[in-house]
Amino acid sequence: MARRKNDTKRTDLSAFDQAGARILDNPLTTEVEDSYLEYAYSVIHSRALPDARDGLKPVHRRILWSMYEQNHRPDRPYVKSSRVVGDCMGRYHPHGDTAIYDAMVRLAQDFSLNAPLIDGHGNFGSLDDGPAASRYTEARMSREAMLLVGELGEGTVDFKPNYDGSELEPKVLPAAFPNLLVNGTSGIAVGMATNMIPHNLGEVVAAARHLITNPEADLDALMRFVPGPDLPTGGQLLGLDEVRRAYETGRGVVRMRARAQTGPLEGGRGRQAITVTELPYGVGTEKIIEAITDEVKGKMITSGPKRGQRQAARLQGIADVKDLTDREHGTRLVIECKVGVNPQALLADLYRLTPLETSFGINNLVLVDGQPRTLGLKPLLEVFVQHRYDVVTRRTTYRRTKRQDRLHLVDGLLIALIDIDRVVAIIRGSDDAAAAKASLMSEFSLSDIQATYILDTPLRRLTRFDRIELETEQERLRAEIAELSRILDNEDVLKKVVSDELAEVASEFGAPRRTTLIGGDLKEVLAASVPAGPLEVADDPCQVILSATGLIARTAAESEEATEGRRRSGRVKHDAVHALVHSTARGRVLLITSRGRAFKTDVLPLPVLPEQIGTVSLRGGVSASELVPLEKGERVVGLAPLTGEGLGIAMGTRQGVVKVVAPEWPVRSDEFEVMTLKEGDEILQATWITDPAVFLTFVTSDASLLKFQAKNVRPQGLKGGGMAGMTLASGASVISFNAVSTTDAEHGEPMVVTSTGTQVKVTPFAAYPAKGRATGGVRVQRFLKGESSLQVAWVGPRPVGASKTGDPIELPEPDSRRDGSGEAVLMGPQIVGHMIERG
């Protein structure tokens, strides 16, 4: 913006006062216009807008220059912030200590800048609170700041007088990295404003280096290195189409979203919680809590006929909000959900109604050659790269000149050393220093500078050893001058030097990306992120399933009519199921472990199985270890409802012990013991039974099967150790325990599946006679040569086989021979279970 010339517009009405001074009569409108333009020009150039080269506004540049001059460097002690502010204000920036300290504080905040330029010691504020007063805090330059000022002493930039002409200050800093893009900035001038978003240092440097080697690279090529902004506070950035528009035009609006996860509340007795660990850029936890409070209670109306009243609450389902943020764990905002509330639906409401999701308006307005311009990504990188070319060129010229000057002196000293006696004689025979200098210049063809240097050099340095050192230095200087000249004479070499220096900066100061980018059109992304379903989950019937691979999930909550309709439709899928229990979506179930422990678990947080299951494993389930604190080697072996009619839980152990535990669960405890086990024993399976006519079956490693009715086992309390279930032969152990109903025609005839690892046999359950409890059973499979034990066994309806990874294995057709040897099956079943009906 050029300064306005007013001489031609002023009315030429001259007058003189009594002292003879000339007075110009200027119209008021012209004077106001001129004064306002002067003010606007000052604000734009001297306060509000950053320079595109070093990315700094004048106040930031003056703070760093003042600290650099006062030697407040990273390897020096901290000094009081008020000392830095006072020095900067008194010498370079006469705009008030508050403005300077506020600017200094922002340079020290790691939640405002990706690469803080001030190393602060003390309370420099947070996203919600301001900093302590400057008399309480201390500061020094950061290592990143030294990259901006480190080359100031080598003639790299121009200087200008300060406000009163008593000092000099740099017009721009050398800036060894793209500070403007890395740290961003904001400022409000007259009639214009800038708002630049931070980026990842390593990504921006990579793009700049690519631009150096490929000056014609387009925006898409650069965005392969800089896919989007990277915010100091992390979080998510939505809609990269808008990001590309901002990179192309210099203007755009991006959507920032907090990073949150849903899950059980620790110690919350089944309550769900939303834990926020990363917030949008510039948003603090107190601002979030205040917005949540307003939306839960209803905002207060401040104007109109309903002034003083509250609007209707728009946010439902929140029980409490806790801010657990600390220095050790970082941001941690816990939003507790009410019982039965779908946390995903609540999170969507929080994104919509609170600053957990907010916008950032990008406006890349910067000063280029003193003129305000709005630049996209490529022009910003081009301005920075050109600045580095200029800096490195001036630095190289400065260094070469210094070395040339030193070489000139070394050459003179070596000339004097060749005939040192003559030099000494000339000096001793001269009347004064001027005569000696003139004689030396005439005798040895020396320059004035060389002759003066020889006269100033002590005689003790003019020895044979100093000559060797000088010759070594002469060779080194000539090599360095040649290398520096090569940089100045060859543009490709200059580019390589700039590129290599940027690579060193990225290697030392680069950091992993913090912000996750979510591509696509912003409207489509926002629409896709809204979860289906109501805020509160209906307490409809569902099934909780434990897979044969140890995963737990539930079916979608639905009515009995819908379940029956899908069963009649014939669309049936199956999965390898180890245990299944009926519950409701907002109910609780028991998880029984192999160590005889039981845990109460909520059904709602469990993953919901998809409508179609194409494999024989519950791949959508969650590992039991993520739900309950299992010990090493412990696993979940069964499920049971907390309420409902039934005899209890039937359990069988590896040592042949059987127990039916009566359904009398502790009310206040979420973890309790259901069976006292002997040393080395473990529960193989726990099954909820409702019919005393159900058969309990044991299958042993030596191929024996015993079945007897559950009514033969007396129910015991939680502390009971069970009773003898099966008598085992020496060296044998139980490998399978099941509860089998023979009256459930709906699920088909039960089968016995056994496998030695290669041979697999499927036999009707009816082929095996029932015997009494605590007996030895009957043969279930005949071993072939080389076989000595059963590896896998299972008894129940609709059997399916699977590998340990859940991949399906085809079972042979049923064989009525109860002691047959089975059929050879490639990779015999390592896991066996039954099918579950799914529409």
Side-chain angles (χ1 to χ4, degrees):
M1 181 183 293
R3 184 175 178 178
R4 185 171 177 179
K5 305 298 182 182
N6 304 311
D7 293 344
T8 58
K9 288 192 173 185
R10 291 183 176 177
T11 305
D12 191 16
L13 298 177
S14 300
F16 294 91
D17 61 11
Q18 295 179 352
R22 185 180 182 184
I23 300 174
L24 293 177
D25 187 3
N26 195 34
L28 178 61
T29 55
T30 303
E31 187 65 32
V32 170
E33 289 177 359
D34 293 344
S35 298
Y36 187 77
L37 285 175
E38 291 280 357
Y39 166 74
Y41 180 86
S42 174
V43 171
I44 292 170
H45 283 262
S46 303
R47 294 171 69 177
L49 299 186
D51 193 294
R53 294 169 292 179
D54 61 4
L56 297 173
K57 295 190 285 189
V59 63
H60 299 135
R61 189 178 302 113
R62 287 164 179 167
I63 289 171
L64 295 179
W65 168 241
S66 174
M67 297 183 76
Y68 178 76
E69 274 202 306
Q70 298 302 312
N71 217 17
H72 304 319
R73 307 191 182 194
D75 57 346
R76 300 300 176 91
Y78 293 96
V79 297
K80 284 290 184 182
S81 298
S82 55
R83 175 177 172 182
V84 176
V85 171
D87 182 77
C88 180
M89 179 174 61
R91 299 171 64 190
Y92 305 112
H93 197 76
H95 291 287
D97 58 335
T98 301
I100 297 173
Y101 186 55
D102 288 346
M104 180 179 172
V105 164
R106 185 180 185 276
L107 295 182
Q109 294 174 336
D110 57 3
F111 52 83
S112 297
L113 276 65
N114 276 330
L117 304 179
I118 297 292
D119 180 7
H121 184 67
N123 178 16
F124 275 80
S126 67
L127 287 166
D128 297 304
D129 298 316
S134 60
R135 61 183 179 275
Y136 298 120
T137 62
E138 297 177 330
R140 62 186 179 189
M141 298 177 73
S142 69
R143 293 170 60 237
E144 291 86 348
M146 294 305 298
L147 296 175
L148 298 182
V149 301
E151 302 160 306
L152 276 174
E154 297 184 281
T156 52
V157 296
D158 294 329
F159 282 72
K160 64 180 181 179
N162 67 340
Y163 66 93
D164 62 0
S166 61
E167 304 265 1
L168 290 177
E169 61 176 302
K171 292 182 178 180
V172 67
L173 298 184
F177 71 94
N179 174 60
L180 185 59
L181 282 167
V182 171
N183 283 327
T185 189
S186 62
I188 301 176
V190 177
M192 56 185 69
T194 184
N195 202 32
M196 301 189 66
I197 198 166
H199 292 79
N200 184 272
L201 186 147
E203 294 176 355
V204 173
V205 166
R209 296 185 65 204
H210 181 75
L211 191 62
I212 290 173
T213 55
N214 302 275
E216 303 302 323
D218 59 10
L219 179 59
D220 291 328
L222 295 177
M223 286 189 67
R224 288 200 294 267
F225 300 95
V226 186
D230 187 25
L231 307 176
T233 53
Q236 304 175 74
L237 205 67
L238 313 181
L240 294 187
D241 288 354
E242 191 66 27
V243 171
R244 191 189 188 286
R245 189 175 298 113
Y247 284 169
E248 185 175 10
T249 65
R251 295 177 180 270
V253 179
V254 296
R255 196 76 171 169
M256 303 178 296
R257 175 180 286 181
R259 190 185 305 278
Q261 58 186 10
T262 60
L265 176 65
E266 185 176 350
R269 304 182 67 84
R271 182 171 292 172
Q272 294 290 294
I274 299 169
T275 303
V276 180
T277 55
E278 295 177 6
L279 293 172
Y281 184 52
V283 177
T285 53
E286 290 186 9
K287 187 176 181 180
I288 300 294
I289 295 174
E290 181 181 356
I292 291 175
T293 303
D294 286 342
E295 295 298 341
V296 169
K297 295 181 178 180
K299 291 184 178 180
M300 187 71 70
I301 301 174
T302 58
S303 61
K306 296 185 178 181
R307 180 180 178 181
Q309 301 180 16
R310 289 189 178 273
Q311 296 177 348
R314 297 192 295 173
L315 202 53
Q316 307 290 335
I318 295 178
D320 195 9
V321 182
K322 297 179 180 178
D323 185 4
L324 305 181
T325 301
D326 56 31
R327 291 185 178 181
E328 181 179 356
H329 300 96
T331 300
R332 193 162 184 266
L333 184 65
V334 179
I335 303 169
E336 299 178 12
C337 306
K338 292 181 178 178
V339 176
V341 169
N342 180 356
Q344 293 295 339
L346 177 57
L347 181 58
D349 286 343
L350 288 169
Y351 283 145
R352 180 172 56 89
L353 298 173
T354 72
L356 283 176
E357 183 177 298
T358 186
S359 298
F360 186 99
I362 298 176
N363 185 18
N364 297 338
L365 182 65
V366 295
L367 293 177
V368 181
D369 296 330
Q371 300 294 317
R373 291 179 56 192
T374 302
L375 302 182
L377 177 63
K378 183 177 179 181
L380 284 170
L381 289 172
E382 288 175 334
V383 171
F384 169 76
V385 169
Q386 185 58 51
H387 177 56
R388 286 305 298 169
Y389 289 158
D390 296 339
V391 167
V392 173
T393 298
R394 295 180 62 164
R395 183 191 69 193
T396 305
T397 302
Y398 176 87
R399 291 176 179 178
R400 186 176 69 171
T401 300
K402 285 291 186 182
R403 283 157 178 76
Q404 288 173 337
D405 292 344
R406 175 60 183 169
L407 180 61
H408 186 60
L409 297 177
V410 171
D411 288 341
L413 282 175
L414 287 173
I415 292 173
L417 284 173
I418 293 175
D419 195 356
I420 186 63
D421 294 335
R422 178 64 181 154
V423 170
V424 173
I426 290 174
I427 296 173
R428 294 184 63 183
S430 300
D431 295 333
D432 51 30
K437 182 170 68 173
S439 298
L440 289 174
M441 292 172 61
S442 174
E443 181 73 20
F444 297 102
S445 299
L446 299 175
S447 67
D448 182 272
I449 296 175
Q450 288 175 321
T452 302
Y453 188 70
I454 290 172
L455 290 173
D456 293 338
T457 301
L459 282 175
R460 59 184 172 80
R461 288 201 54 198
L462 303 178
T463 65
R464 179 170 62 86
F465 297 106
D466 282 312
R467 179 176 179 178
I468 295 174
E469 293 178 3
L470 288 172
E471 288 175 344
T472 303
E473 183 181 2
Q474 183 185 51
E475 293 177 1
R476 178 177 58 81
L477 289 171
R478 287 173 177 171
E480 291 178 353
I481 290 170
E483 180 62 26
L484 294 171
S485 297
R486 196 166 70 91
I487 296 174
L488 294 174
D489 298 338
N490 192 324
E491 184 179 352
D492 292 336
V493 178
L494 173 64
K495 290 182 176 180
K496 185 178 186 306
V497 171
V498 173
S499 179
D500 291 346
E501 290 179 353
L502 286 172
E504 292 177 6
V505 171
S507 176
E508 184 174 0
F509 295 95
R513 165 172 281 277
R514 298 182 178 96
T515 302
T516 302
L517 303 176
I518 301 177
D521 179 75
L522 180 59
K523 292 182 179 179
E524 295 178 358
V525 172
L526 294 176
S529 64
V530 178
L535 176 63
E536 294 193 6
V537 178
D539 200 21
D540 291 330
C542 66
Q543 296 174 335
V544 180
I545 305 161
L546 172 65
S547 82
T549 54
L551 302 178
I552 301 176
R554 66 180 174 93
T555 60
E558 56 186 11
S559 64
E560 293 291 346
E561 292 78 3
T563 304
E564 182 63 23
R566 294 205 308 180
R567 181 178 294 115
R568 291 177 179 176
S569 69
R571 295 184 294 110
V572 178
K573 294 290 179 181
H574 67 269
D575 202 344
V577 176
H578 188 73
L580 181 150
V581 68
H582 295 275
S583 182
T584 61
R586 291 163 63 175
R588 308 184 83 189
V589 296
L590 279 180
L591 303 185
I592 314 300
T593 76
S594 57
R595 301 280 174 86
R597 297 194 297 166
F599 295 89
K600 297 177 183 178
T601 301
D602 292 287
V603 175
L604 187 61
L606 298 178
V608 179
L609 290 178
E611 290 298 313
Q612 300 287 337
I613 304 176
T615 64
V616 291
S617 67
L618 293 173
R619 298 186 188 274
V622 62
S623 174
S625 61
E626 298 182 26
L627 299 174
V628 294
L630 299 179
E631 299 174 353
K632 185 178 181 180
E634 187 177 17
R635 65 189 190 281
V636 173
V637 295
L639 305 171
L642 277 176
T643 58
E645 297 181 357
L647 298 178
I649 304 173
M651 298 172 287
T653 75
R654 192 169 295 281
Q655 296 180 2
V657 178
V658 66
K659 178 182 179 181
V660 175
V661 59
E664 298 175 356
W665 320 129
V667 177
R668 297 183 179 274
S669 178
D670 286 345
E671 175 187 347
F672 51 90
E673 191 177 85
V674 291
M675 184 176 183
T676 302
L677 296 171
K678 296 179 180 179
E679 183 70 25
D681 202 3
E682 66 173 347
I683 299 174
L684 295 176
Q685 179 154 334
T687 305
W688 177 256
I689 57 175
T690 58
D691 183 2
V694 165
F695 283 95
L696 304 181
T697 65
F698 286 93
V699 181
T700 64
S701 58
D702 62 349
S704 292
L705 181 148
L706 174 66
K707 73 177 186 180
F708 54 87
Q709 288 189 317
K711 64 183 180 181
N712 295 330
V713 182
R714 176 177 53 82
Q716 295 180 320
L718 296 177
K719 298 297 182 180
M723 58 186 66
M726 182 177 185
T727 302
L728 302 178
S730 177
S733 63
V734 177
I735 62 171
S736 175
F737 172 81
N738 296 96
V740 183
S741 174
T742 58
T743 59
D744 188 0
E746 179 182 353
H747 295 90
E749 181 184 5
M751 295 287 175
V752 178
V753 183
T754 55
S755 173
T756 59
T758 56
Q759 299 294 118
V760 180
K761 186 168 74 75
V762 179
T763 311
F765 183 60
Y768 299 91
K771 299 184 67 176
R773 180 179 61 80
T775 59
V778 296
R779 182 183 296 277
V780 71
Q781 181 159 338
R782 180 167 54 85
F783 294 138
L784 298 178
K785 184 177 180 180
E787 297 177 342
S788 60
S789 65
L790 289 180
Q791 303 297 319
V792 177
W794 185 84
V795 185
R798 302 194 309 268
V800 291
S803 69
K804 290 182 178 179
T805 59
D807 298 316
I809 296 175
E810 192 70 25
L811 298 179
E813 293 295 324
D815 184 353
S816 60
R817 297 174 300 169
R818 71 185 190 191
D819 61 347
S821 57
E823 297 182 14
V825 174
L826 182 63
M827 194 176 68
Q830 299 162 301
I831 296 173
V832 180
H834 67 277
M835 294 183 292
I836 175 178
E837 293 186 357
R838 297 282 290 139

